[in-house]
Amino acid sequence: MTFDLITVLVVAGAFTAGALVYQRTAPPEGATTALSRGERLAVALGAAATVIMIGGYLGSGFRGIEHAADTQSAGAETPGADR
């Protein structure tokens, strides 16, 4: 298992999204109804999981495009090479 730049960016984005969602859902002072700490944590984990899912699809898509380009260039023949 190797870690590449896409993986690092996805994980950093997930941590950032989770932290921002957790902070933004904090109840204002004097609020009578608000999310509990557990509910805020669940929402933040859901946001982090969403970032990981989207980043995973994007990362696989980039690798798929790169792999397809390598396959096409490897199978390309030079015109007139067999004469």
Side-chain angles (χ1 to χ4, degrees):
M1 183 167 138
T2 61
F3 293 106
D4 56 355
L5 182 61
I6 297 289
T7 304
V8 171
L9 292 175
V10 168
V11 170
F15 280 133
T16 303
L20 287 175
V21 167
Y22 187 79
Q23 288 177 354
R24 299 284 180 175
T25 56
E29 287 190 33
T32 56
T33 59
L35 295 175
S36 69
R37 184 176 291 172
E39 290 170 333
R40 290 174 51 209
L41 184 59
V43 171
L45 287 174
T50 302
V51 170
I52 289 172
M53 292 277 295
I54 292 171
Y57 286 126
L58 290 177
S60 295
F62 292 146
R63 281 197 201 108
I65 292 169
E66 184 178 302
H67 179 65
D70 290 341
T71 304
Q72 288 177 354
S73 64
E77 295 181 14
T78 318
D82 54 336
R83 288 188 198 179

